[in-house]
Amino acid sequence: MRILIVEDDPMIGSSLMRGLTDAGYTADWVRDGLAAEAALRDRLGEFQLALLDWGLPHRSGIEVLRALRAGGNNIPVLILTARDSLADRVEGLDRGADDFLVKPFEFAELKARMRALLRRHAGRIEPPLRTARLALDPASRSVSRDGREIQLTAREYALLHALMQRPGTLLSRAQLEERIYGWSNPVESNAVEFLLHSLRRKIGSEQIENLRGLGWRVPGDK
Ligand code: CA
């Protein structure tokens, strides 16, 4: 589950990054409106939700939102705002915001609202993914093998999700790192290998093929 954070305040941005990462989300952080527009335009479909600050350099949150909706992108957007006037809320909703949170906020409330938004949009996010023996349902974040549910950590789930989105396609370590950890986080060199090892122990090592030096894949249709 990948979240785009758009926030120019370094303290709030870094605490959001830390909190969301701890909660098992992959988070990417951009600091101004232009970067937000670029991320949402060029990386269409990669993010499942955006946290959008209202007051931003270069483009305001409302302008980013307007451009996003005008382009037909229906990603859930939760506005983070220091202002709490009725007029602001009405304008935001008219422009296509899904929810508001007034700063300062409790992290628990942010997470609850994010979950609610993601549930509401779940049907639009992605249908269940299948291989011969595995099933992964993005709406419920559940994984099963031969019909039996398997408990995965958030990172293991993200890794398997990335692989099952493209069965039969090799994904390199760099591609997997980028998918699991985001592009703004430093990653220890063998973190992906450790994750693959624990994931394979749970789902069966034959469910993920490794071509040495090239990458990993789940088997595609034969
Ligand atoms: Ca701001």
Side-chain angles (χ1 to χ4, degrees), residues 60-219:
S60 70
I62 204 82
E63 289 172 309
V64 172
L65 183 61
R66 189 170 28 191
L68 189 66
R69 297 306 189 221
N73 190 329
N74 70 352
I75 181 176
V77 172
L78 200 168
I79 299 261
L80 305 175
T81 174
R83 302 187 279 180
D84 183 29
S85 81
L86 182 62
D88 287 344
R89 284 175 186 245
V90 169
E91 188 187 5
L93 290 169
D94 280 345
R95 298 292 180 201
D98 296 276
D99 200 3
F100 282 83
L101 203 50
V102 177
K103 300 175 192 174
F105 49 81
E106 292 292 325
F107 204 75
E109 182 176 10
L110 173 68
K111 285 193 294 182
R113 284 173 184 255
M114 287 174 56
R115 284 196 299 271
L117 275 185
L118 290 166
R119 267 199 306 276
R120 258 196 269 158
H121 284 250
R124 287 185 246 164
I125 290 177
E126 213 187 314
L129 305 174
R130 290 182 189 289
T131 65
R133 303 188 68 179
L134 297 174
L136 180 150
D137 183 359
S140 59
R141 295 172 67 84
S142 62
V143 171
S144 61
R145 177 184 150 144
D146 300 329
R148 278 179 61 177
E149 188 157 345
I150 300 170
Q151 298 297 327
L152 299 182
T153 66
R155 297 255 185 256
E156 290 163 355
Y157 173 86
L159 177 59
L160 184 61
H161 189 198
L163 290 165
M164 286 185 68
Q165 281 179 316
R166 295 157 77 185
T169 304
L170 281 169
L171 295 179
S172 68
R173 183 214 294 210
Q175 286 173 311
L176 290 172
E177 279 177 359
E178 203 270 340
R179 283 292 307 271
I180 300 160
Y181 298 99
W183 25 274
S184 40
N185 288 328
V187 182
E188 288 181 35
S189 62
N190 48 6
V192 166
E193 276 88 348
F194 275 120
L195 263 185
L196 280 158
H197 180 73
S198 62
L199 177 59
R200 281 172 132 173
R201 271 214 324 244
K202 292 184 181 178
I203 65 172
S205 58
E206 75 289 352
Q207 301 301 316
I208 298 177
E209 300 171 350
N210 176 220
L211 271 70
R212 205 163 285 283
L214 293 175
W216 294 265
R217 67 184 173 199
V218 296

Side-chain angles (χ1 to χ4, degrees), residues 6-9 12 31 53-57 80 103:
V6 187
E7 171 61 75
D8 61 317
D9 182 307
I12 298 175
R31 293 161 178 78
D53 182 24
W54 195 267
L56 290 167
L80 305 175
K103 300 175 192 174

